[in-house]
Amino acid sequence: MAEEFDFVVQMSEAPGGYEIEVSSSAGEDREVVSLSTDELLSRMPALQAAVLGSSVHSRGAGSELEEPVLQIGDALFDSVFRDSIKGLYISSKQKAEERDHVLRIVLRVRSPELAALPWELLHDSKLGGYLCLNHPIVRYVDILKPVAPLRVSPPLRVLGMIALPGSLASLDTESEKENLHAALKPLIDEEMVQLEWVPGNTKSDLYSALLRGGCHVLHFIGHGRFDEHRRQGTIIFVDERGREDPLHAEALGSLISVGQPRPRLVVLNSCQTGTSNAQDLFSSTAAQLEHTVPAVVAMQFAVTDMAAVLFSRAFYQALAANRPVDEAVRTGRIALRVHKDDSLECFTPVLYQRAGDARLFDLTARTSPPSPAPEMTEPPPERGKHGVETGPETEPDRKRAETGSGPGKVTDIPVLPVIGTDHWVVSMAVHPRGRLLATGARRLVRLWDATTGQAEWERRIPGWSTMANAVCFSPDGGLLAVGSSDNTARVWDLATGQVSLELAHRHFVNAVDFDASTRRLATGDSDSLACLWDLRTGSKMLTLRHGRAVRDVRFSPDGTLLLTASEDRHAYVWDTATGEQRARIPHESYVLGAAFSPDGRRIATCSEDRTAQIRDARTWEPLFHVEHRSGLRAVAFSPDGALIATGSEDGAVHVWSATTGEQVLHIKHKRSVNVVAFYPDGRHLASGGEDKNVRSTRISTHGAG
């Protein structure tokens, strides 16, 4: 489903209530609203009883049971869909209907107590009743981790598991197995889908099945429970003696991660797997699994046996018909409503997702596997129509924007200590002349005046969920490269403000870097590739394959080498002329950042293993390493090569001597630090991350900034 038909509602805490920020095809708006979350949460037990009671009581009692559901649904709708926001919803719905599309409602909930509310109950009698029956509703989870490629080549591997401890109520598992097989049989017959069942019901049985072959979809039938003591959801497995063996959501995510391929979708046909605690945004089983899986379908209330079977059958029939997963969930809701139209169990399923595209699988045709790499291609001599003029011969003729480029003296400027950006700072770069900062966030790339804190330039990237994962200025300052999660690297000419080049990739672009001549651009993506591009023609010169996603790319100062960081737990050094691998640098976890020293004699790599390694760039032998208390996300050398800065997930920024490894400065952010960069004068350090601030700290060897 195209993102242009998404109605995105972001909800977060704000002074005086909650801030509601809407993005849609009809426009954008924001408003602060009041919502009695404590009072609504206190009604949850009665709501649970009403949902279960509606499945067994007569139709006369059913309407009475629905009253608490309607009250909560109306209260949620009236609190959020007010005035202009309601108008945007109506207009967006009309636009989607005009194009024969279904409007999708995307909830980006950033407050734990709001996440614990049953938003699937949203109701307005004048606008068609329950919104979840008319629109797919997705709970989108903000996690700064790349999503593995979602669309897979057939056959789609579905792994089912049943776990029923003898002490808990029995379920009609045979009916659910039969329905699952019946829904998928046409695709099984065409060899588009493989359906297998775990031969057992213990954690070890699931581990062995995943390790043996992995899967694309994991379907669990059994029981779930919310652990109020640990504030986390659990799945109930069976131990060797047939007793209950609960596994908390965090550990379940680790267990699922052993699969190769790793599941893209988990369906938990189990009670309370979508229930969360009002103090923890990621407390539900479904939300916690989002750290491992792009999409999770779960149940936010206890679910009856009949409802589980009916929902499962309709859900997989829709997937088999090539519907996106969010629409398949809506189809399952409708099946429950049609079966017994006064039943309230259609509100029990909930979809959590951290990928903007809900079409996880393309089951229409087989696709060819990607061509092998590495590959080298000689760039054609002629210039393409989108070529970018570079090189000394064109430099005098280039018009420079005021924000821009050309030779200029680097001065010690009085930078503003803190710039509030109002968005997570996902990527950042400092202009070669020092006055400007570039930041990348969700949908936005902006240039900031570091002396005033004012945004001087702004561009939007298509798609509400698109992240600007990487930004980089060209050495002459005239170009800005941006790598983003819409699978594209773009080059902006700052003199004209226009995109001069677009480079398509197969998956998220996580890293970009210009060489010193501004003739080549390096990119790294989540499809495990680092690529070199000729900026005159837009042609690919070199492809370097890694074991997993590439998270950073850096040219050596003379451009003869490329340093790459990968989630395969290694950094690599490559010859940019031949593609030959010169060095392989191991870490114990994902390598997320890399840097060459300005003289090219040393390299630094940082990892989620909490260390940054500094090595000699002639022998590749380690010189020393530095450590943080949490995983590292960023590393940078100062312009004179005397200092190294590192930023970590716990909000700490450390500055170290590049000679001895001695710590000379400590800076603290409130949340994770994603990027660090020195100003060209060498006297200031910029750092930014999930606290939405860019901090510029004057370097001092006498203490913290």
Side-chain angles (χ1 to χ4, degrees):
M1 182 177 293
E3 288 187 357
E4 64 179 297
F5 300 112
D6 287 345
F7 190 80
V8 186
V9 183
Q10 178 173 299
M11 295 179 275
S12 54
E13 295 178 26
Y18 298 95
E19 182 178 63
I20 308 299
E21 183 179 353
V22 168
S23 174
S24 72
S25 60
E28 300 181 354
D29 203 353
R30 65 174 64 191
E31 187 174 346
V32 175
V33 304
S34 60
L35 188 62
S36 302
T37 53
D38 290 341
E39 195 272 332
L40 289 173
L41 288 170
S42 70
R43 300 192 205 174
M44 293 299 285
L47 179 63
Q48 169 74 87
V51 170
L52 282 178
S54 69
S55 66
V56 296
H57 283 84
S58 65
R59 296 186 181 276
S63 58
E64 182 178 332
L65 287 168
E66 190 172 5
E67 190 58 32
V69 175
L70 288 171
Q71 289 175 356
I72 292 179
D74 288 338
L76 292 173
F77 185 91
D78 293 341
S79 296
V80 174
F81 289 74
R82 299 169 48 178
D83 304 327
S84 58
I85 291 178
K86 184 176 181 179
L88 287 178
Y89 164 69
I90 295 171
S91 298
S92 300
K93 186 171 180 287
Q94 290 173 341
K95 285 178 177 287
E97 290 172 349
E98 288 170 2
R99 299 278 296 276
D100 197 25
H101 279 269
V102 177
L103 183 71
R104 179 170 69 164
I105 297 176
V106 179
L107 303 176
R108 303 178 70 232
V109 185
R110 291 183 166 178
S111 171
E113 64 268 27
L114 292 181
L117 293 173
W119 293 99
E120 289 70 23
L121 271 60
L122 282 166
H123 179 272
D124 185 273
S125 58
K126 296 180 180 178
L127 294 176
Y130 293 107
L131 270 62
C132 70
L133 298 176
N134 299 315
H135 309 283
I137 292 184
V138 177
R139 295 193 181 217
Y140 183 82
V141 180
D142 281 315
I143 299 176
L144 281 183
K145 291 185 179 180
V147 180
L150 297 180
R151 299 187 186 180
V152 298
S153 300
L156 183 73
R157 299 166 68 176
V158 180
L159 179 65
M161 182 175 187
I162 298 172
L164 294 176
S167 60
L168 297 180
S170 62
L171 302 174
D172 188 5
T173 55
E174 288 306 315
S175 292
E176 189 161 350
K177 286 181 69 173
E178 290 173 5
N179 278 306
L180 187 56
H181 187 273
L184 296 177
K185 188 176 185 305
L187 293 171
I188 293 173
D189 293 342
E190 295 176 21
E191 299 184 348
M192 299 287 284
V193 169
Q194 290 179 351
L195 175 60
E196 298 179 359
W197 292 90
V198 176
N201 51 22
T202 69
K203 293 181 289 190
S204 296
D205 293 328
L206 177 58
Y207 175 84
S208 298
L210 289 170
L211 200 62
R212 188 166 53 246
C215 64
H216 299 121
V217 180
L218 175 62
H219 183 99
F220 180 85
I221 304 171
H223 293 281
R225 188 179 297 145
F226 190 81
D227 185 342
E228 291 288 354
H229 177 68
R230 287 185 53 174
R231 296 180 178 178
Q232 196 172 136
T234 63
I235 289 293
I236 311 300
F237 289 89
V238 181
D239 68 11
E240 288 74 8
R241 298 183 180 180
R243 300 172 302 187
E244 296 180 29
D245 190 12
L247 185 66
H248 285 84
E250 184 177 358
L252 178 61
S254 299
L255 173 58
I256 289 173
S257 71
V258 306
Q260 290 294 333
R262 184 182 298 185
R264 272 64 162 167
L265 169 66
V266 172
V267 179
L268 298 172
N269 228 338
S270 316
C271 299
Q272 298 186 345
T273 46
T275 304
S276 65
N277 182 277
Q279 282 75 49
D280 186 349
L281 192 60
F282 293 100
S283 57
S284 75
T285 304
Q288 183 66 45
L289 287 181
E290 284 292 286
H291 289 279
T292 306
V293 184
V296 181
V297 177
M299 304 296 165
Q300 62 182 324
F301 307 126
V303 59
T304 63
D305 204 17
M306 176 62 75
V309 170
L310 289 172
F311 175 81
S312 177
R313 179 173 60 192
F315 175 79
Y316 281 103
Q317 283 177 336
L319 278 188
N322 220 37
R323 298 288 183 91
V325 66
D326 54 7
E327 182 66 6
V329 171
R330 187 176 78 94
T331 301
R333 293 188 201 281
I334 292 172
L336 292 174
R337 194 69 166 174
V338 170
H339 174 73
K340 188 173 185 294
D341 64 9
D342 56 356
S343 171
L344 306 175
E345 288 196 283
C346 60
F347 308 118
T348 298
V350 58
L351 170 62
Y352 281 81
Q353 190 176 313
R354 63 181 170 100
D357 184 359
R359 192 175 294 280
L360 303 187
F361 314 110
D362 186 355
L363 301 179
T364 56
R366 293 183 179 271
T367 57
S368 302
S371 57
E375 63 182 32
M376 292 189 61
T377 308
E378 290 295 328
E382 68 275 10
R383 290 169 46 171
K385 63 179 181 179
H386 298 298
V388 179
E389 296 182 9
T390 57
E393 69 279 5
T394 64
E395 201 67 27
D397 301 326
R398 193 184 267 284
K399 265 191 168 177
R400 303 299 180 184
E402 174 139 9
T403 60
S405 52
K409 183 179 179 182
V410 174
T411 58
D412 182 12
I413 59 173
V415 299
L416 198 68
V418 178
I419 298 175
T421 70
D422 293 327
H423 294 80
W424 282 2
V425 181
V426 180
S427 54
M428 182 181 68
V430 178
H431 192 272
R433 280 164 52 183
R435 186 176 65 86
L436 292 177
L437 287 166
T439 60
R442 184 180 66 88
R443 300 179 62 202
L444 284 176
V445 179
R446 288 180 288 184
L447 299 186
W448 304 84
D449 187 320
T451 66
T452 66
Q454 298 299 309
E456 294 199 347
W457 184 91
E458 178 179 298
R459 292 294 184 274
R460 289 185 176 268
I461 303 174
W464 63 264
S465 64
T466 303
M467 289 283 187
N469 293 327
V471 293
C472 181
F473 288 104
S474 60
D476 65 9
L479 304 174
L480 180 70
V482 178
S484 55
S485 61
D486 64 350
N487 306 352
T488 306
R490 295 174 175 84
V491 178
W492 264 279
D493 187 322
L494 296 180
T496 65
Q498 302 299 312
V499 173
S500 56
L501 190 65
E502 290 192 352
L503 304 172
H505 293 66
R506 290 170 56 90
H507 201 40
F508 296 173
V509 181
N510 302 318
V512 291
D513 193 37
F514 289 97
D515 73 352
S517 69
T518 317
R519 293 176 181 270
R520 294 176 297 175
L521 183 75
T523 61
D525 66 26
S526 289
D527 201 31
S528 308
L529 300 178
C531 301
L532 265 62
W533 306 81
D534 187 323
L535 289 176
R536 295 168 299 179
T537 64
S539 60
K540 189 183 297 183
M541 305 169 65
L542 188 65
T543 300
L544 305 167
R545 183 168 291 281
H546 297 65
R548 297 190 68 173
V550 178
R551 298 299 299 273
D552 205 0
V553 293
R554 296 292 169 185
F555 280 104
S556 61
D558 63 5
T560 62
L561 300 174
L562 184 71
L563 175 62
T564 61
S566 173
E567 288 189 7
D568 66 11
R569 302 186 178 188
H570 292 86
Y572 302 88
V573 181
W574 311 84
D575 187 308
T576 57
T578 66
E580 177 188 356
Q581 187 183 119
R582 293 286 191 86
R584 182 171 177 265
I585 300 158
H587 278 265
E588 294 182 3
S589 187
Y590 295 168
V591 185
L592 301 184
F596 267 101
S597 64
D599 61 8
R601 295 182 179 179
R602 285 163 295 169
I603 62 168
T605 58
C606 71
S607 167
E608 284 196 350
D609 66 9
R610 303 185 296 177
T611 70
Q613 297 184 23
I614 290 77
R615 291 180 177 246
D616 188 299
R618 291 164 294 189
T619 65
W620 312 115
E621 292 298 317
L623 299 174
F624 61 89
H625 75 275
V626 297
E627 294 187 11
H628 280 244
R629 294 180 178 178
S630 296
L632 271 69
R633 291 188 172 182
V635 63
F637 279 95
S638 62
D640 61 3
L643 300 173
I644 298 169
T646 52
S648 73
E649 294 176 355
D650 64 0
V653 176
H654 292 171
V655 179
W656 318 82
S657 166
T659 305
T660 66
E662 178 185 359
Q663 182 179 313
V664 298
L665 183 65
H666 171 73
I667 305 162
K668 185 65 177 176
H669 286 248
K670 293 181 179 179
R671 298 185 66 181
S672 177
V673 172
N674 299 322
V675 280
V676 294
F678 285 91
Y679 284 81
D681 63 7
R683 299 172 184 172
H684 295 88
L685 175 73
S687 53
E690 293 179 18
D691 63 3
K692 303 182 182 180
N693 293 323
V694 173
R695 289 195 60 179
S696 294
T697 306
R698 187 171 180 84
I699 301 298
S700 168
T701 58
H702 301 294

